Structure formats: C-alpha cells, structure tokens
Amino acid sequence: MKEEDLPLSGIRVLDLTTVIFGPFAGQILGDFGADVIKVEAPGGDQTRAVGATREEGMGALFLGCNRNKRSIELDLKQKKHADALWKLIEGADVLMHNVRPQKFKALGFDADTVLARKPSLIYAGLHGFWEEGPYGGMPAYDDVVQGLSGFAGSFTERDGAPMLAPSVIADKSSGLMAVNGILAALMRRARTGKGGYVEIGMLEGLAGFNLVEHLQGLAFDPPQGPPGYRRALSPGRRPYKTKDGYICILAYTDKQWAAFWEIVGRSDLLEDDRFATMGSRARNIDALYEEAGASLEQRTSDEWLNLLRKGEIPCGPVNNLSDLPNDPHLQAIKFFRPYEHPSQGRMQVPETPYKFDRESLPVRHHHPRLNEQGAEILREAGLAEDDIKTIIGTEE
C-alpha cells in the first residue's frame, strides 16, 4: 500500500507514552500511516529492557508495541530540551502522554498550557484514573486496574479466588480505546477546526468494558438482580477435554444446540426442558455445560472438530502460544510477516487486524533504537545545528 493511501498519512503524533497502554495506541496510529515520533525520557522506555533481546535496549516487549515510530530522547527538565518539544508541538497534530497529570503540569506541558499555545492540537492524556476522582494522579499499572475494575474479582465465583488474566488486558484494551478517542477528536477537528483535550482512563475503560455483559441486574434502579453474566461466570465455561487434548465449543442458537446434541449422541436432551430455549439454557447454564462436556472424552480433538464443523457449530482447537505460528489459518494469511530489521536482523512481525482496500498495513518504519532519529526530527522542526548537537549529545 502506498504511504499516501494510508488513512492517517500526513498526521504527526508526538508519543510521550511508556510501557504498553500508550505505546500500543501509538503503534496503531503509526500502522494507520501517522508519523509517530516517540519522545523518550533519558534512558528510554522501560520496556526496552524487558524480554528476549539481541541487543541491549531492544527487548521483545518494546518491539511488540513500537513499530512505525521514530525515536528522540529529551530531558524535559532541561530548558533546551523543553524548548525543542515546544518546536515539535508546533508541527504536530496529536500529543499523547501517560505521565501522571501533576508531574506533566510541573514540567509545563499540562493540557491548558499546551492548548493555549496551539488550540488545534489533539492533546490526549492516557491516565490510570480520571483526574477529578479520588484516585486521580495515582500511579496505575495493569495488575492494579484488573483488580479495581472487577475483572480479577469476577474469577472468584468461578474459581474460588480472584485471578489476573495472563495478558495485560487493561493496558491493551485501554490502548484501543485511546485510539478511538484520538480518531474521534481528529474527526471533530476536520469538521470544526477545533482541537482539544481527550482523557482516557484505564480504570474507567476496563470497568466499562467489563460491565458490558456483567452489569446485568444493576442496569436498573432499583436493581433487578445481582451483577454478573451467568454464562461467562459458570465454572463449566472452559475448554472441553477430549481423548487427546482440549477443544473450545460455543453452540449458541437453538439450531446449533439441536445439532450438537445429535452429534455427541445425546439426542435425548433435545426434549429436555432445561435446554430447549435460550432463556432456559441461561437459567440452567451449569447443568448445560456439564452435560455438553460429558461425552467428549470418547473421541480425539480432530474427530470432534470435523463433526462439529460439518454441523456448523462454532468450535476450534486450544492453541498454546507456541502453536500459533503453525495454525493453518494464520499460516495461510501469512499472519507472521518476515521483516528484516536494520539493526536486529531477521524478525517476524504479527499482522494487524486491519485491511484497507484488501491490503495489509505495512511496516514503514522499523522499531527504533533510543534516539535513533533524534537529529533528523529536530532538523525537521527547524532547530539550528548547534542546538541539535547540544540536545542529542553526540555527532551523527
């Protein structure tokens, strides 16, 4: 795909975020074609030191959410560096950060100050908590937000104790929400010319995300029952054991359940009032899952999957992380794209979920070393060579 055909071509983003929440959002904007400048504090993003690596400062976690960006290292406590950021802001469309609000204000880059100087800018504050609440300005990471949002606690009914998802679900879901907010603000600016302040809170994002299905009776005032979506919380909602492994199945409609009972040899349950309708299945969800899994250990996973797919029942194997490169669908669509990184050598980069005009979004810029494009970025902003050498600290 040509760069000019990418949806955010011509948009410049200053990404002052670290860890995963913000960098994941910035990467998506970069995938969409934005010129994303990763502004890093001295020493760089902490994730540069995390995970498998071929070179110090280029850890796998950093590589996972920092493609399609350029890097510059600035110490905003130094006046020349702060002045350089102001020059970068002059040419930017979006500034996004996840510094705690009071700390960013102390540096002189709070929303009111920045927007007073550039009203057309989209200023995105990616915070752990909305500023006006009692948690505002407190530090927050994924584990804490999983706990506060009810996400970790929702495991208690099913498993007897709260648990954390084996994925940074708060960071990544909030990153997606940040992209939505920034794109909406860009649309408003295109329509009205007005920039503005967009705040995205991790707790608020994951709590709302969690309550889509779990608010239940609390949706009403007074409540019409307890919170919690019974099907999702059922102890029986887990992969089914087969003769040689596990599979996941979700029969959902009346037609799918009827086909399922026939396939597993339990046609007697076609007449069972507990499972006859969507409503009755919901009321008897634990018994439904117990009966559904009772016969599956008699055949192998492949045998069941062949039968279930013929019956048009949604199903699939349980892949371990190491199985993903061998998944036949992911192989067929070339999900793991080979990529030759100029400093890291041969890599594989996962596909995005997006296609535009039937084309994948390209990796236009490699994952940057710390400050790799610093001088280039400052030249584009119009800084004098002497100032560039002072800020960057070394000759090119």
Side-chain angles (χ1 to χ4, degrees), residues 16-340:
L16 282 77
T17 67
T18 60
V19 192
I20 296 177
F21 174 14
F24 182 51
Q27 177 171 273
I28 295 170
L29 296 173
D31 289 343
F32 285 162
D35 176 18
V36 179
I37 296 174
K38 186 174 179 70
V39 181
E40 302 188 64
D45 192 324
Q46 304 97 302
T47 61
R48 286 183 174 276
V50 180
T53 185
R54 288 175 175 161
E55 175 188 346
E56 186 177 352
M58 297 293 282
L61 187 57
F62 174 83
L63 298 175
C65 48
N66 285 286
R67 66 173 174 260
N68 283 328
K69 300 180 186 182
R70 298 186 290 161
S71 171
I72 182 170
E73 185 180 22
L74 294 177
D75 181 357
L76 298 181
K77 294 177 181 178
Q78 297 187 43
K79 186 177 186 306
K80 277 189 176 289
H81 291 233
D83 289 345
L85 180 58
W86 281 116
K87 288 291 291 182
L88 294 178
I89 289 171
E90 289 176 11
D93 298 284
V94 177
L95 182 151
M96 51 189 287
H97 78 89
N98 61 352
V99 183
R100 284 190 272 168
Q102 67 271 30
K103 291 195 171 186
F104 217 41
K105 185 173 184 177
L107 293 169
F109 292 97
D110 57 286
D112 291 341
T113 300
V114 172
L115 290 171
R117 288 181 61 164
K118 186 167 184 182
S120 63
L121 184 76
I122 308 304
Y123 183 107
L126 283 63
H127 300 151
F129 314 101
W130 279 0
E131 291 185 71
E132 67 266 26
Y135 299 161
M138 291 174 60
Y141 286 106
D142 187 276
D143 295 16
V144 175
V145 174
Q146 284 199 42
L148 283 169
S149 66
F151 192 91
S154 65
F155 285 86
T156 304
E157 183 170 340
R158 193 188 73 181
D159 300 319
M163 297 180 68
L164 298 174
S167 177
V168 284
I169 191 73
D171 274 319
K172 292 187 290 185
S173 63
S174 298
L176 294 170
M177 294 173 202
V179 172
N180 287 341
I182 290 167
L183 293 179
L186 285 168
M187 286 294 294
R188 183 179 72 172
R189 192 185 70 171
R191 192 180 75 252
T192 68
K194 177 185 177 183
Y197 178 32
V198 181
E199 184 177 17
I200 304 98
M202 286 179 69
L203 172 59
E204 294 78 10
L206 191 60
F209 184 82
N210 196 28
L211 292 174
V212 166
E213 75 275 32
H214 284 310
L215 189 58
Q216 292 294 318
L218 298 189
F220 305 96
D221 187 11
Q224 298 299 297
Y229 177 38
R230 307 319 305 162
R231 188 184 75 78
L233 296 176
S234 172
R237 182 182 179 252
R238 44 179 87 238
Y240 290 116
K241 186 168 177 42
T242 67
K243 192 173 183 179
D244 63 348
Y246 292 88
I247 58 175
C248 284
I249 305 168
L250 181 55
Y252 198 70
T253 66
D254 293 347
K255 181 179 179 182
Q256 288 168 349
W257 275 111
F260 176 83
W261 296 131
E262 293 281 5
I263 289 168
V264 300
R266 293 300 308 276
S267 55
D268 56 300
L269 294 177
L270 289 168
E271 307 302 323
D272 193 316
D273 290 342
R274 297 175 299 167
F275 311 138
T277 67
M278 183 78 75
S280 64
R281 287 192 295 273
R283 290 189 296 272
N284 296 281
I285 193 67
D286 292 344
L288 177 71
Y289 281 139
E290 183 179 353
E291 293 287 5
S295 305
L296 294 177
E297 290 191 49
Q298 299 171 8
R299 296 176 184 264
T300 67
S301 295
D302 283 345
E303 288 173 324
W304 282 124
L305 292 173
N306 287 331
L307 291 168
L308 293 165
R309 285 167 177 160
K310 287 177 183 177
E312 298 187 344
I313 296 167
C315 60
V318 175
N319 283 333
N320 295 319
L321 294 173
S322 58
D323 295 326
L324 292 177
N326 300 315
D327 181 274
H329 177 83
L330 297 181
Q331 283 190 331
I333 65 169
K334 298 179 172 59
F335 180 83
F336 292 97
R337 297 180 285 180
Y339 182 70
E340 193 70 31

